[in-house]
Amino acid sequence: MTFVVTENCIKCKFTDCVDVCPVDCFHVGPNFLVIDPDECIDCTLCEPECPAEAIFSEDELPEGQEIFIELNAELSKTWPIITDVTDPLEDADNWNGKEGKLDLLEK
Ligand code: SF4
Ligand code: F3S
């Protein structure tokens, strides 16, 4: 099993999640983070840390977020590892909770 970053991280990128991961499995892109499913040890620590509530166990994904299982696996192969908290993206608070952000994902 693995944990998965889902749509509401897009254009927010609060990065609180990276601070607690014991095995450094977060990878960063321009406006989104992903979890490497081969590294995640299902410790659950990151899930409650995300202010956007964007992280779920893969077997508890909200409806419509299934595509993010594949996106996390695919993008974590090429995006660099992130271990330090950074400032959220500009306007993150306004984007938090908006629907339809998948089209805005920058690879
Ligand atoms: Fe890292 Fe644990 Fe979150 Fe997996 S569940 S990404 S190991 S903090
Ligand atoms: Fe994204 Fe939440 Fe982490 S918004 S960067 S999954 S803290």
Side-chain angles (χ1 to χ4, degrees):
M1 216 180 63
T2 181
F3 277 65
V4 177
V5 184
T6 63
E7 185 169 10
N8 202 31
C9 175
I10 296 169
K11 289 189 79 68
C12 290
K13 218 166 95 169
F14 287 107
T15 72
D16 302 66
C17 53
V18 306
D19 208 25
V20 296
C21 182
V23 291
D24 299 345
C25 47
F26 284 91
H27 294 246
V28 61
N31 66 359
F32 186 53
L33 257 64
V34 291
I35 291 169
D36 182 344
D38 294 332
E39 298 294 330
C40 178
I41 57 171
D42 303 326
C43 74
T44 77
L45 289 176
C46 58
E47 185 177 9
E49 293 302 315
C50 176
E53 298 181 7
I55 303 175
F56 296 88
S57 163
E58 84 179 317
D59 59 3
E60 290 178 350
L61 279 177
E63 205 180 322
Q65 299 293 299
E66 297 82 1
I67 189 175
F68 285 92
I69 295 176
E70 188 158 334
L71 279 171
N72 277 243
E74 173 197 324
L75 296 171
S76 63
K77 290 197 175 94
T78 53
W79 284 356
I81 289 174
I82 175 172
T83 55
D84 291 325
V85 174
T86 57
D87 287 338
L89 292 177
E90 196 181 342
D91 245 10
D93 287 335
N94 284 333
W95 283 103
N96 186 0
K98 289 238 167 47
E99 292 183 7
K101 291 197 279 181
L102 179 57
D103 289 345
L104 302 173
L105 173 60
E106 295 173 32
K107 301 179 185 174

